[in-house]
Amino acid sequence: MEEQSVVPAPSDGPAPAARPSVRPGDPSAAPAGAEPARLPSATRFPGAAVSWVGAHGGAGCTTLARLLGGADVGVRWPDPARGEPARMIVVARTHASGIQAASSVLDALRTAAPAPAAEAAAVVLVADAPGRLPAELARRVRVLGSVATVHRVPWVPAWRLGTRPGQPPREVLALADLIGPPA
C-alpha cells in the first residue's frame, strides 16, 4: 500500500508550489463546492491521543512521540484504519523551508480534506538552531499563528546528540498538557 506524502519531493530547481497529497477524484477529497475546513483550536480535543505529522523530514516527530506518546506517522496523513488518531499535530523546524512546509500542510488540510476525519490540533515548531529567530522568520511564525495554534520548542543540545535532556524544556511539558493522556 502506497503512503501519501504530505510534502512534495525535493527537486534540483526552485521549489514548486506545494501540492496537497490528495488528487482530484480521490474518494477522500472534499466534494466540489465544499466549504474549506476550518482549523480547530487545540482546546477542542481534550484528552485525545494524537498523530505527529512531519511537515518535512527531520522535523522532530519521532523525538516528540518518544517523549510524549502518540503516533509518529512521519510525512503522511494519519490513517485511522491503522489505529492512528485523526487528531494531528503538525511538526516543522523553524528554518524558512520548515515554516513554509508547515504552511503548505495547513493549506492542504484547508483545501483538500486529505482524510475525512483529519484535524490539526496545533503546529509545533522545533528550533533549528540556538538563539532567537531572525525577524523575517518570526513574522512567518506569526502568520502561521493566525490560522492555527502554534507551539515553539527551543533548541535542545541533547537531542542533537541523540540523548534525553535531564528535564524536558517547559515548552515540551506544555505540549504534554495539550495532547492529554493516551486514548
Side-chain angles (χ1 to χ4, degrees):
M1 181 164 140
E2 184 178 315
E3 295 180 351
Q4 294 180 337
S5 176
V6 174
V7 294
S11 68
D12 292 329
R19 283 173 256 147
S21 61
V22 178
R23 292 179 268 306
D26 187 322
S28 65
E35 188 167 315
R38 296 257 320 136
L39 295 175
S41 69
T43 58
R44 185 170 167 193
F45 305 99
V50 298
S51 289
W52 299 95
V53 175
H56 55 86
C61 291
T62 301
T63 299
L64 292 169
R66 284 182 185 149
L67 287 170
L68 302 169
D72 174 13
V73 299
V75 293
R76 63 175 175 76
W77 302 119
D79 183 357
R82 293 181 177 179
E84 299 164 349
R87 179 176 170 251
M88 53 191 246
I89 296 179
V90 178
V91 183
R93 292 289 181 163
T94 56
H95 47 63
S97 60
I99 295 169
Q100 179 58 48
S103 178
S104 295
V105 170
L106 293 176
D107 190 51
L109 272 171
R110 183 184 63 78
T111 60
E119 295 185 78
V123 173
V124 173
L125 297 176
V126 180
D128 68 314
R132 296 179 61 154
L133 281 180
E136 180 181 340
L137 296 179
R139 278 191 298 278
R140 292 181 185 190
V141 170
R142 284 191 296 278
V143 170
L144 277 180
S146 71
V147 295
T149 303
V150 174
H151 295 270
R152 301 264 312 270
V153 174
W155 176 258
V156 179
W159 291 349
R160 189 173 202 198
L161 298 172
T163 61
R164 287 184 120 172
Q167 174 69 25
R170 62 182 151 79
E171 295 86 350
V172 172
L173 298 175
L175 288 175
D177 291 341
L178 169 71
I179 66 169

PDB file of all heavy atoms in Angstrom, residues 31-70:
ATOM      1  N   PRO A  31     -15.777  17.190  -1.565  1.00  0.00           N
ATOM      2  CA  PRO A  31     -16.631  17.309  -2.742  1.00  0.00           C
ATOM      3  C   PRO A  31     -16.502  18.691  -3.370  1.00  0.00           C
ATOM      4  O   PRO A  31     -16.213  19.668  -2.689  1.00  0.00           O
ATOM      5  CB  PRO A  31     -18.042  17.096  -2.189  1.00  0.00           C
ATOM      6  CG  PRO A  31     -17.925  16.874  -0.732  1.00  0.00           C
ATOM      7  CD  PRO A  31     -16.484  16.964  -0.352  1.00  0.00           C
ATOM      8  N   ALA A  32     -16.747  18.772  -4.674  1.00  0.00           N
ATOM      9  CA  ALA A  32     -16.678  20.056  -5.372  1.00  0.00           C
ATOM     10  C   ALA A  32     -17.641  21.033  -4.718  1.00  0.00           C
ATOM     11  O   ALA A  32     -18.767  20.674  -4.385  1.00  0.00           O
ATOM     12  CB  ALA A  32     -17.016  19.865  -6.843  1.00  0.00           C
ATOM     13  N   GLY A  33     -17.170  22.252  -4.507  1.00  0.00           N
ATOM     14  CA  GLY A  33     -18.004  23.278  -3.910  1.00  0.00           C
ATOM     15  C   GLY A  33     -18.105  23.194  -2.401  1.00  0.00           C
ATOM     16  O   GLY A  33     -18.804  23.978  -1.780  1.00  0.00           O
ATOM     17  N   ALA A  34     -17.437  22.211  -1.791  1.00  0.00           N
ATOM     18  CA  ALA A  34     -17.498  22.082  -0.331  1.00  0.00           C
ATOM     19  C   ALA A  34     -16.773  23.245   0.314  1.00  0.00           C
ATOM     20  O   ALA A  34     -15.784  23.745  -0.208  1.00  0.00           O
ATOM     21  CB  ALA A  34     -16.862  20.769   0.113  1.00  0.00           C
ATOM     22  N   GLU A  35     -17.268  23.661   1.451  1.00  0.00           N
ATOM     23  CA  GLU A  35     -16.638  24.755   2.184  1.00  0.00           C
ATOM     24  C   GLU A  35     -15.322  24.263   2.773  1.00  0.00           C
ATOM     25  O   GLU A  35     -15.268  23.151   3.299  1.00  0.00           O
ATOM     26  CB  GLU A  35     -17.567  25.223   3.292  1.00  0.00           C
ATOM     27  CG  GLU A  35     -17.070  26.476   3.955  1.00  0.00           C
ATOM     28  CD  GLU A  35     -18.161  27.074   4.826  1.00  0.00           C
ATOM     29  OE1 GLU A  35     -19.313  27.152   4.379  1.00  0.00           O
ATOM     30  OE2 GLU A  35     -17.823  27.423   5.954  1.00  0.00           O
ATOM     31  N   PRO A  36     -14.236  25.048   2.701  1.00  0.00           N
ATOM     32  CA  PRO A  36     -12.967  24.615   3.269  1.00  0.00           C
ATOM     33  C   PRO A  36     -13.092  24.360   4.768  1.00  0.00           C
ATOM     34  O   PRO A  36     -13.833  25.057   5.462  1.00  0.00           O
ATOM     35  CB  PRO A  36     -12.017  25.795   3.018  1.00  0.00           C
ATOM     36  CG  PRO A  36     -12.704  26.666   2.028  1.00  0.00           C
ATOM     37  CD  PRO A  36     -14.159  26.362   2.099  1.00  0.00           C
ATOM     38  N   ALA A  37     -12.389  23.345   5.236  1.00  0.00           N
ATOM     39  CA  ALA A  37     -12.422  23.018   6.661  1.00  0.00           C
ATOM     40  C   ALA A  37     -11.741  24.126   7.462  1.00  0.00           C
ATOM     41  O   ALA A  37     -10.726  24.658   7.044  1.00  0.00           O
ATOM     42  CB  ALA A  37     -11.711  21.684   6.894  1.00  0.00           C
ATOM     43  N   ARG A  38     -12.309  24.470   8.592  1.00  0.00           N
ATOM     44  CA  ARG A  38     -11.677  25.430   9.494  1.00  0.00           C
ATOM     45  C   ARG A  38     -10.728  24.659  10.389  1.00  0.00           C
ATOM     46  O   ARG A  38     -11.039  23.559  10.820  1.00  0.00           O
ATOM     47  CB  ARG A  38     -12.720  26.124  10.378  1.00  0.00           C
ATOM     48  CG  ARG A  38     -13.677  26.957   9.631  1.00  0.00           C
ATOM     49  CD  ARG A  38     -13.481  28.436   9.662  1.00  0.00           C
ATOM     50  NE  ARG A  38     -13.097  29.000  10.919  1.00  0.00           N
ATOM     51  CZ  ARG A  38     -12.148  29.924  11.027  1.00  0.00           C
ATOM     52  NH1 ARG A  38     -11.510  30.326   9.963  1.00  0.00           N
ATOM     53  NH2 ARG A  38     -11.856  30.445  12.174  1.00  0.00           N
ATOM     54  N   LEU A  39      -9.581  25.232  10.669  1.00  0.00           N
ATOM     55  CA  LEU A  39      -8.652  24.587  11.578  1.00  0.00           C
ATOM     56  C   LEU A  39      -9.130  24.829  13.001  1.00  0.00           C
ATOM     57  O   LEU A  39      -9.318  25.964  13.416  1.00  0.00           O
ATOM     58  CB  LEU A  39      -7.236  25.150  11.388  1.00  0.00           C
ATOM     59  CG  LEU A  39      -6.638  24.844  10.029  1.00  0.00           C
ATOM     60  CD1 LEU A  39      -5.304  25.543   9.877  1.00  0.00           C
ATOM     61  CD2 LEU A  39      -6.478  23.364   9.833  1.00  0.00           C
ATOM     62  N   PRO A  40      -9.358  23.760  13.753  1.00  0.00           N
ATOM     63  CA  PRO A  40      -9.888  23.914  15.101  1.00  0.00           C
ATOM     64  C   PRO A  40      -8.816  24.378  16.068  1.00  0.00           C
ATOM     65  O   PRO A  40      -7.627  24.246  15.828  1.00  0.00           O
ATOM     66  CB  PRO A  40     -10.345  22.496  15.447  1.00  0.00           C
ATOM     67  CG  PRO A  40      -9.441  21.621  14.645  1.00  0.00           C
ATOM     68  CD  PRO A  40      -9.156  22.381  13.373  1.00  0.00           C
ATOM     69  N   SER A  41      -9.245  24.904  17.192  1.00  0.00           N
ATOM     70  CA  SER A  41      -8.300  25.258  18.251  1.00  0.00           C
ATOM     71  C   SER A  41      -7.941  23.998  19.019  1.00  0.00           C
ATOM     72  O   SER A  41      -8.677  23.016  18.996  1.00  0.00           O
ATOM     73  CB  SER A  41      -8.922  26.285  19.201  1.00  0.00           C
ATOM     74  OG  SER A  41      -9.958  25.669  19.929  1.00  0.00           O
ATOM     75  N   ALA A  42      -6.817  24.029  19.697  1.00  0.00           N
ATOM     76  CA  ALA A  42      -6.349  22.858  20.431  1.00  0.00           C
ATOM     77  C   ALA A  42      -7.318  22.470  21.536  1.00  0.00           C
ATOM     78  O   ALA A  42      -7.405  21.312  21.898  1.00  0.00           O
ATOM     79  CB  ALA A  42      -4.968  23.133  21.009  1.00  0.00           C
ATOM     80  N   THR A  43      -8.068  23.409  22.078  1.00  0.00           N
ATOM     81  CA  THR A  43      -8.953  23.095  23.197  1.00  0.00           C
ATOM     82  C   THR A  43     -10.141  22.239  22.780  1.00  0.00           C
ATOM     83  O   THR A  43     -10.840  21.734  23.633  1.00  0.00           O
ATOM     84  CB  THR A  43      -9.470  24.397  23.849  1.00  0.00           C
ATOM     85  OG1 THR A  43     -10.131  25.151  22.851  1.00  0.00           O
ATOM     86  CG2 THR A  43      -8.348  25.189  24.452  1.00  0.00           C
ATOM     87  N   ARG A  44     -10.360  22.052  21.497  1.00  0.00           N
ATOM     88  CA  ARG A  44     -11.478  21.231  21.032  1.00  0.00           C
ATOM     89  C   ARG A  44     -11.231  19.745  21.255  1.00  0.00           C
ATOM     90  O   ARG A  44     -12.145  18.938  21.128  1.00  0.00           O
ATOM     91  CB  ARG A  44     -11.691  21.520  19.549  1.00  0.00           C
ATOM     92  CG  ARG A  44     -12.893  20.838  18.979  1.00  0.00           C
ATOM     93  CD  ARG A  44     -13.172  21.357  17.602  1.00  0.00           C
ATOM     94  NE  ARG A  44     -14.127  20.466  16.971  1.00  0.00           N
ATOM     95  CZ  ARG A  44     -14.403  20.474  15.701  1.00  0.00           C
ATOM     96  NH1 ARG A  44     -13.812  21.324  14.904  1.00  0.00           N
ATOM     97  NH2 ARG A  44     -15.274  19.645  15.196  1.00  0.00           N
ATOM     98  N   PHE A  45     -10.002  19.336  21.551  1.00  0.00           N
ATOM     99  CA  PHE A  45      -9.647  17.927  21.615  1.00  0.00           C
ATOM    100  C   PHE A  45      -9.090  17.514  22.980  1.00  0.00           C
ATOM    101  O   PHE A  45      -8.026  16.929  23.044  1.00  0.00           O
ATOM    102  CB  PHE A  45      -8.574  17.616  20.574  1.00  0.00           C
ATOM    103  CG  PHE A  45      -8.963  18.016  19.187  1.00  0.00           C
ATOM    104  CD1 PHE A  45      -8.503  19.196  18.640  1.00  0.00           C
ATOM    105  CD2 PHE A  45      -9.784  17.219  18.429  1.00  0.00           C
ATOM    106  CE1 PHE A  45      -8.850  19.558  17.363  1.00  0.00           C
ATOM    107  CE2 PHE A  45     -10.129  17.581  17.140  1.00  0.00           C
ATOM    108  CZ  PHE A  45      -9.660  18.753  16.602  1.00  0.00           C
ATOM    109  N   PRO A  46      -9.756  17.798  24.086  1.00  0.00           N
ATOM    110  CA  PRO A  46      -9.169  17.453  25.372  1.00  0.00           C
ATOM    111  C   PRO A  46      -9.037  15.940  25.556  1.00  0.00           C
ATOM    112  O   PRO A  46      -9.963  15.198  25.262  1.00  0.00           O
ATOM    113  CB  PRO A  46     -10.137  18.059  26.384  1.00  0.00           C
ATOM    114  CG  PRO A  46     -11.429  18.138  25.659  1.00  0.00           C
ATOM    115  CD  PRO A  46     -11.088  18.358  24.210  1.00  0.00           C
ATOM    116  N   GLY A  47      -7.874  15.512  26.031  1.00  0.00           N
ATOM    117  CA  GLY A  47      -7.658  14.125  26.422  1.00  0.00           C
ATOM    118  C   GLY A  47      -7.528  13.102  25.316  1.00  0.00           C
ATOM    119  O   GLY A  47      -7.477  11.921  25.598  1.00  0.00           O
ATOM    120  N   ALA A  48      -7.479  13.495  24.060  1.00  0.00           N
ATOM    121  CA  ALA A  48      -7.385  12.525  22.974  1.00  0.00           C
ATOM    122  C   ALA A  48      -5.931  12.281  22.607  1.00  0.00           C
ATOM    123  O   ALA A  48      -5.084  13.136  22.806  1.00  0.00           O
ATOM    124  CB  ALA A  48      -8.148  13.034  21.758  1.00  0.00           C
ATOM    125  N   ALA A  49      -5.660  11.092  22.062  1.00  0.00           N
ATOM    126  CA  ALA A  49      -4.320  10.791  21.558  1.00  0.00           C
ATOM    127  C   ALA A  49      -4.100  11.544  20.252  1.00  0.00           C
ATOM    128  O   ALA A  49      -5.052  11.996  19.623  1.00  0.00           O
ATOM    129  CB  ALA A  49      -4.175   9.292  21.341  1.00  0.00           C
ATOM    130  N   VAL A  50      -2.856  11.681  19.823  1.00  0.00           N
ATOM    131  CA  VAL A  50      -2.537  12.443  18.616  1.00  0.00           C
ATOM    132  C   VAL A  50      -1.629  11.661  17.682  1.00  0.00           C
ATOM    133  O   VAL A  50      -0.956  10.731  18.083  1.00  0.00           O
ATOM    134  CB  VAL A  50      -1.836  13.783  18.952  1.00  0.00           C
ATOM    135  CG1 VAL A  50      -2.719  14.667  19.776  1.00  0.00           C
ATOM    136  CG2 VAL A  50      -0.502  13.550  19.613  1.00  0.00           C
ATOM    137  N   SER A  51      -1.638  12.107  16.437  1.00  0.00           N
ATOM    138  CA  SER A  51      -0.651  11.671  15.453  1.00  0.00           C
ATOM    139  C   SER A  51       0.279  12.851  15.218  1.00  0.00           C
ATOM    140  O   SER A  51      -0.178  13.976  15.034  1.00  0.00           O
ATOM    141  CB  SER A  51      -1.318  11.286  14.132  1.00  0.00           C
ATOM    142  OG  SER A  51      -2.041  10.087  14.257  1.00  0.00           O
ATOM    143  N   TRP A  52       1.567  12.593  15.256  1.00  0.00           N
ATOM    144  CA  TRP A  52       2.573  13.621  14.960  1.00  0.00           C
ATOM    145  C   TRP A  52       2.854  13.544  13.471  1.00  0.00           C
ATOM    146  O   TRP A  52       3.304  12.511  12.973  1.00  0.00           O
ATOM    147  CB  TRP A  52       3.846  13.358  15.757  1.00  0.00           C
ATOM    148  CG  TRP A  52       3.638  13.399  17.241  1.00  0.00           C
ATOM    149  CD1 TRP A  52       3.389  12.343  18.066  1.00  0.00           C
ATOM    150  CD2 TRP A  52       3.665  14.556  18.080  1.00  0.00           C
ATOM    151  NE1 TRP A  52       3.261  12.779  19.358  1.00  0.00           N
ATOM    152  CE2 TRP A  52       3.423  14.132  19.400  1.00  0.00           C
ATOM    153  CE3 TRP A  52       3.871  15.911  17.833  1.00  0.00           C
ATOM    154  CZ2 TRP A  52       3.385  15.008  20.479  1.00  0.00           C
ATOM    155  CZ3 TRP A  52       3.831  16.791  18.905  1.00  0.00           C
ATOM    156  CH2 TRP A  52       3.592  16.343  20.208  1.00  0.00           C
ATOM    157  N   VAL A  53       2.587  14.623  12.746  1.00  0.00           N
ATOM    158  CA  VAL A  53       2.746  14.664  11.293  1.00  0.00           C
ATOM    159  C   VAL A  53       3.871  15.633  10.964  1.00  0.00           C
ATOM    160  O   VAL A  53       3.788  16.819  11.285  1.00  0.00           O
ATOM    161  CB  VAL A  53       1.438  15.116  10.606  1.00  0.00           C
ATOM    162  CG1 VAL A  53       1.651  15.282   9.107  1.00  0.00           C
ATOM    163  CG2 VAL A  53       0.322  14.124  10.892  1.00  0.00           C
ATOM    164  N   GLY A  54       4.908  15.139  10.325  1.00  0.00           N
ATOM    165  CA  GLY A  54       6.024  15.989   9.925  1.00  0.00           C
ATOM    166  C   GLY A  54       5.681  16.778   8.678  1.00  0.00           C
ATOM    167  O   GLY A  54       5.230  16.204   7.689  1.00  0.00           O
ATOM    168  N   ALA A  55       5.886  18.078   8.728  1.00  0.00           N
ATOM    169  CA  ALA A  55       5.690  18.901   7.539  1.00  0.00           C
ATOM    170  C   ALA A  55       6.811  18.642   6.538  1.00  0.00           C
ATOM    171  O   ALA A  55       6.664  18.912   5.350  1.00  0.00           O
ATOM    172  CB  ALA A  55       5.648  20.382   7.915  1.00  0.00           C
ATOM    173  N   HIS A  56       7.917  18.084   7.023  1.00  0.00           N
ATOM    174  CA  HIS A  56       9.088  17.754   6.207  1.00  0.00           C
ATOM    175  C   HIS A  56       9.902  16.736   6.980  1.00  0.00           C
ATOM    176  O   HIS A  56       9.711  16.562   8.182  1.00  0.00           O
ATOM    177  CB  HIS A  56       9.919  19.013   5.902  1.00  0.00           C
ATOM    178  CG  HIS A  56      10.327  19.747   7.149  1.00  0.00           C
ATOM    179  ND1 HIS A  56      11.473  19.413   7.857  1.00  0.00           N
ATOM    180  CD2 HIS A  56       9.737  20.763   7.823  1.00  0.00           C
ATOM    181  CE1 HIS A  56      11.571  20.221   8.912  1.00  0.00           C
ATOM    182  NE2 HIS A  56      10.517  21.044   8.911  1.00  0.00           N
ATOM    183  N   GLY A  57      10.807  16.058   6.317  1.00  0.00           N
ATOM    184  CA  GLY A  57      11.679  15.110   7.001  1.00  0.00           C
ATOM    185  C   GLY A  57      12.557  15.809   8.027  1.00  0.00           C
ATOM    186  O   GLY A  57      12.972  16.947   7.821  1.00  0.00           O
ATOM    187  N   GLY A  58      12.818  15.158   9.138  1.00  0.00           N
ATOM    188  CA  GLY A  58      13.693  15.714  10.167  1.00  0.00           C
ATOM    189  C   GLY A  58      13.049  16.792  11.015  1.00  0.00           C
ATOM    190  O   GLY A  58      13.733  17.527  11.721  1.00  0.00           O
ATOM    191  N   ALA A  59      11.731  16.870  11.004  1.00  0.00           N
ATOM    192  CA  ALA A  59      11.034  17.921  11.741  1.00  0.00           C
ATOM    193  C   ALA A  59      11.103  17.731  13.254  1.00  0.00           C
ATOM    194  O   ALA A  59      11.099  18.703  13.999  1.00  0.00           O
ATOM    195  CB  ALA A  59       9.571  18.003  11.296  1.00  0.00           C
ATOM    196  N   GLY A  60      11.143  16.490  13.716  1.00  0.00           N
ATOM    197  CA  GLY A  60      11.188  16.224  15.146  1.00  0.00           C
ATOM    198  C   GLY A  60      10.035  15.380  15.652  1.00  0.00           C
ATOM    199  O   GLY A  60       9.861  15.207  16.858  1.00  0.00           O
ATOM    200  N   CYS A  61       9.236  14.816  14.744  1.00  0.00           N
ATOM    201  CA  CYS A  61       8.088  13.989  15.150  1.00  0.00           C
ATOM    202  C   CYS A  61       8.504  12.811  16.019  1.00  0.00           C
ATOM    203  O   CYS A  61       7.859  12.521  17.024  1.00  0.00           O
ATOM    204  CB  CYS A  61       7.369  13.436  13.929  1.00  0.00           C
ATOM    205  SG  CYS A  61       6.523  14.665  12.967  1.00  0.00           S
ATOM    206  N   THR A  62       9.544  12.116  15.622  1.00  0.00           N
ATOM    207  CA  THR A  62       9.965  10.926  16.346  1.00  0.00           C
ATOM    208  C   THR A  62      10.380  11.281  17.765  1.00  0.00           C
ATOM    209  O   THR A  62       9.986  10.608  18.728  1.00  0.00           O
ATOM    210  CB  THR A  62      11.110  10.217  15.602  1.00  0.00           C
ATOM    211  OG1 THR A  62      10.638   9.870  14.293  1.00  0.00           O
ATOM    212  CG2 THR A  62      11.573   8.968  16.336  1.00  0.00           C
ATOM    213  N   THR A  63      11.136  12.340  17.929  1.00  0.00           N
ATOM    214  CA  THR A  63      11.568  12.771  19.259  1.00  0.00           C
ATOM    215  C   THR A  63      10.366  13.125  20.126  1.00  0.00           C
ATOM    216  O   THR A  63      10.271  12.690  21.276  1.00  0.00           O
ATOM    217  CB  THR A  63      12.521  13.980  19.155  1.00  0.00           C
ATOM    218  OG1 THR A  63      13.670  13.579  18.406  1.00  0.00           O
ATOM    219  CG2 THR A  63      12.935  14.489  20.518  1.00  0.00           C
ATOM    220  N   LEU A  64       9.433  13.900  19.584  1.00  0.00           N
ATOM    221  CA  LEU A  64       8.263  14.308  20.357  1.00  0.00           C
ATOM    222  C   LEU A  64       7.369  13.120  20.685  1.00  0.00           C
ATOM    223  O   LEU A  64       6.836  13.022  21.792  1.00  0.00           O
ATOM    224  CB  LEU A  64       7.494  15.397  19.615  1.00  0.00           C
ATOM    225  CG  LEU A  64       8.245  16.727  19.514  1.00  0.00           C
ATOM    226  CD1 LEU A  64       7.545  17.673  18.542  1.00  0.00           C
ATOM    227  CD2 LEU A  64       8.420  17.372  20.873  1.00  0.00           C
ATOM    228  N   ALA A  65       7.203  12.185  19.759  1.00  0.00           N
ATOM    229  CA  ALA A  65       6.393  10.995  20.020  1.00  0.00           C
ATOM    230  C   ALA A  65       7.033  10.135  21.108  1.00  0.00           C
ATOM    231  O   ALA A  65       6.331   9.602  21.968  1.00  0.00           O
ATOM    232  CB  ALA A  65       6.197  10.190  18.740  1.00  0.00           C
ATOM    233  N   ARG A  66       8.354  10.020  21.094  1.00  0.00           N
ATOM    234  CA  ARG A  66       9.040   9.241  22.136  1.00  0.00           C
ATOM    235  C   ARG A  66       8.889   9.882  23.504  1.00  0.00           C
ATOM    236  O   ARG A  66       8.726   9.203  24.503  1.00  0.00           O
ATOM    237  CB  ARG A  66      10.523   9.095  21.802  1.00  0.00           C
ATOM    238  CG  ARG A  66      10.793   8.096  20.729  1.00  0.00           C
ATOM    239  CD  ARG A  66      12.275   7.947  20.465  1.00  0.00           C
ATOM    240  NE  ARG A  66      12.491   7.067  19.345  1.00  0.00           N
ATOM    241  CZ  ARG A  66      13.509   7.160  18.520  1.00  0.00           C
ATOM    242  NH1 ARG A  66      14.422   8.107  18.689  1.00  0.00           N
ATOM    243  NH2 ARG A  66      13.643   6.320  17.519  1.00  0.00           N
ATOM    244  N   LEU A  67       8.960  11.204  23.544  1.00  0.00           N
ATOM    245  CA  LEU A  67       8.855  11.915  24.815  1.00  0.00           C
ATOM    246  C   LEU A  67       7.427  11.966  25.348  1.00  0.00           C
ATOM    247  O   LEU A  67       7.212  11.866  26.555  1.00  0.00           O
ATOM    248  CB  LEU A  67       9.373  13.348  24.677  1.00  0.00           C
ATOM    249  CG  LEU A  67      10.863  13.532  24.564  1.00  0.00           C
ATOM    250  CD1 LEU A  67      11.188  14.973  24.186  1.00  0.00           C
ATOM    251  CD2 LEU A  67      11.547  13.162  25.866  1.00  0.00           C
ATOM    252  N   LEU A  68       6.459  12.145  24.449  1.00  0.00           N
ATOM    253  CA  LEU A  68       5.102  12.465  24.888  1.00  0.00           C
ATOM    254  C   LEU A  68       4.044  11.428  24.532  1.00  0.00           C
ATOM    255  O   LEU A  68       2.910  11.523  24.990  1.00  0.00           O
ATOM    256  CB  LEU A  68       4.685  13.817  24.287  1.00  0.00           C
ATOM    257  CG  LEU A  68       5.597  14.994  24.651  1.00  0.00           C
ATOM    258  CD1 LEU A  68       5.260  16.209  23.807  1.00  0.00           C
ATOM    259  CD2 LEU A  68       5.476  15.300  26.131  1.00  0.00           C
ATOM    260  N   GLY A  69       4.397  10.461  23.704  1.00  0.00           N
ATOM    261  CA  GLY A  69       3.405   9.483  23.268  1.00  0.00           C
ATOM    262  C   GLY A  69       2.722   9.954  21.995  1.00  0.00           C
ATOM    263  O   GLY A  69       2.965  11.042  21.497  1.00  0.00           O
ATOM    264  N   GLY A  70       1.850   9.115  21.483  1.00  0.00           N
ATOM    265  CA  GLY A  70       1.167   9.421  20.233  1.00  0.00           C
ATOM    266  C   GLY A  70       1.804   8.659  19.092  1.00  0.00           C
ATOM    267  O   GLY A  70       2.821   7.989  19.255  1.00  0.00           O
TER     268      GLY A  70
END
